[in-house]
Amino acid sequence: MLIVRAEQLRALAAAREARFMRELEAHVRRHFPAVAEAQSPSALQASLRAAVARATAHGLESPEDLCLYANIGAVLGWEFEATPQHAWIGELLRDASIASTSHRLRLAVNEVGRRLSLEEQNRVTEQQFKATAQARAGST
């Protein structure tokens, strides 16, 4: 009979967590290089550990969900939930009327994407408007 002690289980869990954190850091470095380069390696690791802790406080557990939460942090800033313009994300993640925490996260990711796309469209439209106005001002 094989007996696994609690300390052995803790060691296995710690190793699994360390491997996940290395993979998450590699993911951020690959997909968000400017964000990764803006921080020292130790600061990036601390930001990722804090993001994972916040995500797990919301009940997110799967590696995919933790990675999605970190993606939001990489795009909006690591402390995004504490900012007034992004407080809605934390509210959505705490919304008990949506049973699945993973579903709440995916709704947040979709809405972040929609808002970022709209911001980009507005930026482009504003640039086009300014260019047109300057051209008209120069032709008169």
Side-chain angles (χ1 to χ4, degrees):
M1 176 186 238
L2 178 65
I3 297 175
V4 180
R5 294 188 180 103
E7 61 203 44
Q8 291 169 315
L9 290 174
R10 283 191 295 275
L12 289 171
R16 186 177 58 244
E17 180 181 335
R19 185 180 66 245
F20 171 73
M21 293 306 295
R22 285 191 305 274
E23 291 170 357
L24 184 58
E25 181 181 357
H27 168 82
V28 169
R29 288 188 181 286
R30 184 173 47 257
H31 295 284
F32 306 99
V35 171
E37 292 170 11
Q39 294 182 282
S40 70
S42 61
L44 177 59
Q45 292 163 4
S47 295
L48 290 171
R49 280 192 302 276
V52 167
R54 284 190 301 278
T56 56
H58 284 298
L60 299 166
E61 298 175 350
S62 75
E64 294 82 12
D65 286 350
L66 298 175
C67 187
L68 280 175
Y69 188 91
N71 287 352
I72 295 173
V75 171
L76 301 180
W78 297 115
E79 301 291 330
F80 65 89
E81 285 188 60
T83 63
Q85 70 267 32
H86 303 303
W88 64 269
I89 298 170
E91 293 168 11
L92 177 58
L93 292 174
R94 290 184 295 276
D95 184 351
S97 70
I98 304 169
S100 167
T101 54
S102 291
H103 184 65
R104 289 181 222 157
L105 177 64
R106 279 158 184 74
L107 290 173
V109 167
N110 290 340
E111 182 61 15
V112 166
R114 188 190 72 74
R115 290 182 184 200
L116 290 173
S117 177
L118 185 58
E119 286 176 15
E120 178 62 17
Q121 289 172 1
N122 288 341
R123 187 187 62 73
V124 168
T125 301
E126 182 179 9
Q127 287 177 341
Q128 290 171 343
F129 176 79
K130 286 179 180 178
T132 302
Q134 287 176 346
R136 285 192 178 148
S139 67
T140 55

